[in-house]
Amino acid sequence: MEKKLKKVSVNAPLKKRFLKCWQLLILLLPGLIWYLMFCYRPMIGLRMAFYDYNIFRGFAGSTFVGLDNFKTYMLGPDFIRTVKNTLFIALWQMAICFPFPIILAIAITEMKSKVIKKTVQTSSFLPYFISTVVVCGMVVNFLSPSTGIINKFIERLGGEAKYFMVYPQYFRPVYTLMTLWQTAGFNAIVYIAALMGIDPQLYEAAIVDGAGRWQRIRHITIPGIIPTVVTMFIMNIGKMVKVGYEAILLLYQPSTYSTADVISTYSFRVGIQNGDYGIATAAGLFEAVIALILVVFANKFSKRLTETALW
């Protein structure tokens, strides 16, 4: 006969609960080790923000400067530009890249043809797995003034070819559309899963009552995924200031710094190219603190407005 599993109270001693669930904890161990090694251990290096750090002398041989690195960054000529660009690019992404996967998920689940549904879902999902380097290379080639397909199309319509990547005013739209194409299908999976969890009987009852498709979407579909939308919104708020700096590094150039240079790219340029590790770490730490503040405020606002929050 199979042994019956005994329930362990949440008030039981920690050792007893650990022994009861040791198999699950072992499954958790590889992920926990990965996070400790690659996410939390590197945080020891944040001390560099308070030192005039020299990579050859280490912390012992470097001069402690306190908040001087923060003052150098925040009082420097690049501070306003990098903060403004970070916020503007983040707002572009929140306004376009965040709602579009929700619309895409609803559209996919509402499709009647299984063939079209699978085709749309697969074709929108695959770009996420293309390397960022390859995607940026595609964008540069498509916008090339001599051989790019976009400029060829403009010339056919009687327009003049432009090298879009050297004009500051085009960087944010180009970057946002590229990000939308690459991530929309993957981000829609979360909302599709949430839509699958809505009770089908609600739709059946709505159809019996004479509700049309748009009424069902408005009164059943959207309210049913609001908790998921709020959770994803708060998580995206935390990633706002990151804005995918790898792609920006691959796309921007000195002529577009005025609209493309963000905190992360500034930190990379100052630290890796100029060797000012203290200032670069201070800029990165400033970015992380801003992200934390945004998440806390977004969570409180969400809890007050919708009664749904992460904590």
Side-chain angles (χ1 to χ4, degrees):
M1 294 180 67
E2 295 182 358
K3 295 182 179 180
K4 293 184 178 179
L5 296 174
K6 296 180 180 179
K7 293 183 179 180
V8 179
S9 172
V10 293
N11 297 322
L14 179 63
K15 183 179 179 181
K16 186 174 182 180
R17 283 184 286 160
F18 177 82
L19 293 174
K20 180 66 178 178
C21 306
W22 66 270
Q23 298 98 330
L24 296 176
L25 293 172
I26 287 177
L27 291 175
L28 178 66
L29 195 59
L32 181 62
I33 292 173
W34 187 90
Y35 266 95
L36 290 174
M37 291 296 295
F38 296 102
C39 293
Y40 289 97
R41 185 175 175 274
M43 291 178 69
I44 298 172
L46 292 176
R47 290 185 296 164
M48 278 189 252
F50 306 96
Y51 284 82
D52 183 11
Y53 188 73
N54 187 301
I55 59 173
F56 300 105
R57 297 176 184 175
F59 287 106
S62 299
T63 305
F64 180 79
V65 295
L67 299 176
D68 286 354
N69 288 324
F70 293 92
K71 293 178 181 177
T72 301
Y73 169 59
M74 297 178 73
L75 298 177
D78 298 316
F79 176 73
I80 299 297
R81 183 186 69 194
T82 54
V83 172
K84 183 185 72 173
N85 290 340
T86 300
L87 293 177
F88 270 109
I89 292 176
L91 289 173
W92 270 75
Q93 291 194 329
M94 289 299 294
I96 298 174
C97 298
F98 179 75
F100 189 84
I102 303 172
I103 299 170
L104 179 63
I106 295 174
I108 289 173
T109 53
E110 290 292 327
M111 290 178 182
K112 300 298 182 182
S113 173
K114 291 185 178 180
V115 176
I116 297 176
K117 181 185 294 187
K118 295 295 182 183
T119 303
V120 172
Q121 188 172 356
T122 303
S123 60
S124 62
F125 178 71
L126 287 178
Y128 183 82
F129 297 97
I130 301 176
S131 168
T132 302
V133 177
V134 175
V135 173
C136 291
M138 292 168 61
V139 170
V140 172
N141 287 330
F142 287 163
L143 297 178
S144 170
S146 55
T147 59
I149 186 172
I150 303 298
N151 276 306
K152 291 294 183 184
F153 184 72
I154 292 174
E155 289 177 340
R156 287 290 182 91
L157 295 176
E160 184 180 350
K162 291 183 179 180
Y163 191 13
F164 292 95
M165 302 310 298
V166 299
Y167 290 97
Q169 65 268 29
Y170 293 121
F171 183 85
R172 290 170 188 163
V174 168
Y175 175 73
T176 303
L177 291 174
M178 183 197 74
T179 305
L180 178 65
W181 176 76
Q182 189 178 18
T183 61
F186 184 82
N187 292 336
I189 293 175
V190 177
Y191 302 109
I192 292 173
L195 289 168
M196 294 297 102
I198 299 175
D199 190 350
Q201 293 182 356
L202 295 175
Y203 290 103
E204 294 172 2
I207 293 171
V208 171
D209 290 340
R213 176 174 294 184
W214 291 110
Q215 291 176 314
R216 296 197 298 271
I217 291 174
R218 180 182 174 185
H219 297 289
I220 299 176
T221 302
I222 294 177
I225 62 173
I226 282 295
T228 303
V229 172
V230 170
T231 301
M232 295 300 295
F233 178 76
I234 295 172
M235 294 175 67
N236 275 272
I237 286 288
K239 297 186 292 184
M240 271 182 66
V241 292
K242 290 296 180 184
V243 295
Y245 81 98
E246 300 93 342
I248 296 177
L249 279 173
L250 294 168
L251 290 175
Y252 83 158
Q253 40 193 302
S255 63
T256 58
Y257 279 178
S258 60
T259 58
D261 193 24
V262 296
I263 299 174
S264 298
T265 56
Y266 170 83
S267 179
F268 174 87
R269 194 170 62 254
V270 170
I272 302 300
Q273 296 180 358
N274 299 344
D276 294 329
Y277 301 103
I279 297 175
T281 308
L285 186 56
F286 170 81
E287 181 186 62
V289 171
I290 295 299
L292 177 61
I293 293 171
L294 287 173
V295 168
V296 171
F297 274 99
N299 190 75
K300 287 185 177 181
F301 179 75
S302 172
K303 186 182 292 186
R304 181 173 297 180
L305 188 65
T306 65
E307 298 183 356
T308 302
L310 288 179
W311 68 86

